[in-house]
Amino acid sequence: MKNSVDLCRSCNTILDSVIDFGKMPIANAFLQKKNFKDEYFFNLESTFCPSCKLFQLREQPNPKKLFHSNYAFFAETSKVMQKHFNNLSGELVGRFKLSKKELVIEIGNNDGGMVYYLNKKKYKCVGVDPSKNVSERAKSKGVLMINDFFNYKTSNKIKKDYGMAKYFLSANTLAHIPNINSVFEGVVNLLDKKGVFITEDPYLLDVFRKVSYDQIYDEHVFIFSINSMQRLCKKYNLEIIDVKKIPTAGGSMRYYIAHKGDYKINKNVSRYYKIEQKYQINQFSSMKRFKKNCEKSKNQLLDFLNKYSKNNLIVGYGSTSKSTTIFNYCNISVDQIKYLTDTTPTKINKFSPGSHIPIYDYKYFKNNLPDICILLAWNHATEIFNKERNLFSLNGKWMVHYPTA
Ligand code: SAM
Ligand code: TMP
């Protein structure tokens, strides 16, 4: 079953169609050869709500098809992200003076998350994640886990078993949940007076400016802006009390949200809101411009690959969910990119969704160094370039697909 909508998932306004990226497999469904014939496809199309300004997918596969006992993404593969989560858990203790009596809930905490670091320091925490394999991993590290989808119904169960939450966290998860109204109802149901809901996700202004259309795939149902987040909050008598621009996940915005009137609103909110207005990201004309930029980026990448793939070994670094959109939108195959390398055990020796490019481990990469290396995990560029400095001295060339802003 697919969830295909013509009305906005939040406010029921008729959606405007923006970009059709075509037939797309599930971004994280890395597969074996024997499963090529049964591969699942849906239509990837970005749309925009003219009323509440939510940038969203028209069609999304059933979430149970995406988040299950074989979920491919393990957050612990990135040291930088782990440091980032540790820092945010430290902010709760430092800036927000978290006490050991207060409850912290994190949704989509995957194999650990912020609650892993808080739990180590003996704070009261619960993680909620529907993907069984990553939940089990978090449990093995001592985190109290609820292996389920978060929504209003789950929030009632959590309230009954654990009480109200002082802090409600989510990183790279809110944008993944199609039933956004049920999530907000759940947050309001659980968030104590003076409680703070902290959520961070890829930011629409970054996606537009970098033309990082690869942020658009089945899991990213929404790409938020301050404008759309503010409208969502208003519906639930919540408000954004602070924002922080962060570099993770390819350029994200962190929103600090509370019950209306509980906190003074930091000037950062209006400062960043004005930047959004300057770039007009919440207008339909920007969506049209973005569409043109995606087409341009696609043509540039194909010209590059067609020019160099005959006489050079071109490979991809990081078999990312994002690259599924690039490969399928641009029709890229093993003719142009010979293999992909990745450190995640569950991806190694499988093939990329739709494009069927083989994925090899890091050892193979080191023994078969390319002439040109396309950095598909570009959101981890600093970490990877630090590790791979020697590739430059071996005359290997790095390439990132998107035109920088
Ligand atoms: N927070 C981690 C990070 O930032 O690296 C993991 C993000 S991962 C991209 C998204 C996570 O959200 C997955 O572990 C997935 O299982 C989980 N998820 C998806 N739908 C959810 C829902 N309705 N409630 C809670 N977690 C959900
Ligand atoms: P993401 O873009 O969804 O965060 O996925 C990044 C992928 O890149 C993930 O499969 C792990 C992989 N990766 C490496 O192969 N080497 C690395 O050094 C890093 C940081 C990530």
Side-chain angles (χ1 to χ4, degrees):
M1 194 193 78
K2 291 169 193 164
N3 302 322
S4 185
V5 295
D6 292 317
L7 301 180
C8 170
R9 287 176 173 83
S10 170
C11 73
N12 282 332
T13 302
I14 295 176
L15 291 165
D16 287 318
S17 173
V18 181
I19 313 166
D20 187 352
F21 293 98
K23 207 173 103 180
M24 204 54 68
I26 288 174
N28 266 316
F30 300 92
L31 70 174
Q32 294 173 329
K33 212 173 222 167
K34 65 175 188 214
N35 300 120
F36 285 177
K37 59 182 184 323
D38 306 319
E39 204 168 4
Y40 172 94
F41 288 90
F42 72 106
N43 205 57
L44 184 72
E45 194 181 3
S46 284
T47 81
F48 174 66
C49 175
S51 173
C52 74
K53 316 293 180 192
L54 253 180
F55 187 89
Q56 58 197 285
L57 296 185
R58 188 185 291 284
E59 187 176 321
Q60 202 224 10
N62 186 326
K64 287 190 178 149
K65 261 191 166 316
L66 313 180
F67 309 115
H68 42 57
S69 53
N70 260 322
Y71 186 53
F73 178 77
F74 281 71
E76 62 192 8
T77 51
S78 166
K79 288 198 182 84
V80 169
M81 286 308 284
Q82 289 309 309
K83 197 166 165 222
H84 175 76
F85 295 145
N86 195 11
N87 287 346
L88 181 54
S89 71
E91 193 176 320
L92 287 194
V93 178
R95 172 177 174 186
F96 290 100
K97 309 280 178 254
L98 173 69
S99 95
K100 293 209 163 137
K101 285 193 203 126
E102 292 166 334
L103 176 67
V104 181
I105 297 173
E106 181 176 350
I107 59 167
N109 66 310
N110 195 261
D111 55 17
M114 272 88 68
V115 286
Y116 162 68
Y117 292 100
L118 289 169
N119 181 63
K120 270 208 324 193
K121 295 178 195 146
K122 309 269 182 263
Y123 287 96
K124 224 168 99 185
C125 323
V126 183
V128 187
D129 201 297
S131 301
K132 190 155 182 225
N133 57 339
V134 294
S135 276
E136 291 294 329
R137 177 76 185 132
K139 255 193 224 169
S140 76
K141 296 197 271 186
V143 182
L144 181 61
M145 289 299 297
I146 297 170
N147 179 214
D148 209 343
F149 288 90
F150 181 78
N151 50 35
Y152 181 67
K153 202 169 146 203
T154 336
S155 78
N156 277 326
K157 193 174 169 331
I158 299 174
K159 197 167 165 177
K160 193 163 151 262
D161 293 346
Y162 303 99
M164 301 289 277
K166 189 67 193 281
Y167 298 99
F168 191 98
L169 311 176
S170 117
N172 304 304
T173 297
L174 199 66
H176 292 55
I177 311 177
N179 196 348
I180 191 77
N181 289 331
S182 185
V183 174
F184 270 79
E185 283 162 17
V187 172
V188 169
N189 191 25
L190 279 173
L191 196 66
D192 222 340
K193 188 158 172 50
K194 285 246 166 193
V196 184
F197 167 30
I198 306 175
T199 179
E200 58 186 51
D201 279 288
Y203 183 43
L204 191 62
L205 181 58
D206 282 298
V207 172
F208 281 178
R209 294 192 70 198
K210 294 175 186 167
V211 197
S212 51
Y213 66 85
D214 52 347
Q215 293 279 20
I216 298 165
Y217 56 91
D218 48 44
E219 292 185 20
H220 288 174
V221 197
F222 304 107
I223 300 186
F224 300 113
S225 61
I226 296 179
N227 192 321
S228 62
M229 188 61 86
Q230 241 166 6
R231 288 166 195 267
L232 258 169
C233 288
K234 201 168 168 207
K235 268 175 74 172
Y236 297 96
N237 216 19
L238 297 168
E239 63 189 0
I240 304 175
I241 55 167
D242 199 0
V243 290
K244 188 170 183 188
K245 184 75 194 70
I246 47 176
T248 51
S252 298
M253 185 61 84
R254 180 186 290 160
Y255 307 88
Y256 298 79
I257 296 165
H259 293 293
K260 198 167 182 338
D262 270 2
Y263 287 90
K264 195 167 164 251
I265 296 176
N266 192 293
K267 284 195 185 100
N268 289 331
V269 181
S270 58
R271 188 158 66 88
Y272 279 105
Y273 188 84
K274 278 187 194 132
I275 299 175
E276 281 189 7
Q277 280 183 317
K278 181 176 157 207
Y279 286 100
Q280 304 183 330
I281 59 168
N282 296 294
Q283 290 183 17
F284 190 66
S285 54
S286 293
M287 310 292 149
K288 278 184 159 163
R289 199 163 42 248
F290 178 57
K291 180 177 185 220
K292 273 202 184 124
N293 287 340
C294 291
E295 284 158 4
K296 197 168 141 203
S297 171
K298 171 182 177 170
N299 291 334
Q300 278 172 346
L301 179 61
L302 285 174
D303 287 349
F304 176 88
L305 290 174
N306 293 335
K307 184 168 170 196
Y308 292 107
S309 57
K310 284 184 202 79
N311 301 318
N312 292 281
L313 173 62
I314 305 183
V315 314
Y317 196 112
S319 186
T320 60
S321 33
K322 291 190 287 298
S323 53
T324 298
T325 297
I326 304 175
F327 294 161
N328 288 278
Y329 173 56
C330 300
N331 266 321
I332 291 167
S333 71
V334 76
D335 292 341
Q336 294 128 316
I337 297 181
K338 289 295 174 232
Y339 72 86
L340 308 171
T341 184
D342 201 283
T343 49
T344 314
T346 50
K347 296 183 184 178
I348 294 164
N349 294 329
K350 289 193 180 151
F351 293 83
S352 61
S355 50
H356 301 163
I357 301 174
I359 304 162
Y360 298 134
D361 65 11
Y362 190 67
K363 216 162 120 197
Y364 183 91
F365 172 70
K366 281 287 176 190
N367 291 331
N368 297 273
L369 284 174
D371 301 305
I372 298 169
C373 192
I374 303 193
L375 183 63
L376 297 162
W378 55 268
N379 46 316
H380 301 285
T382 314
E383 186 169 357
I384 291 170
F385 285 160
N386 278 339
K387 196 161 71 180
E388 303 296 358
R389 266 192 210 112
N390 290 341
L391 255 193
F392 291 98
S393 57
L394 292 169
N395 285 333
K397 297 214 172 20
W398 289 97
M399 191 261 184
V400 181
H401 84 281
Y402 67 80
T404 42

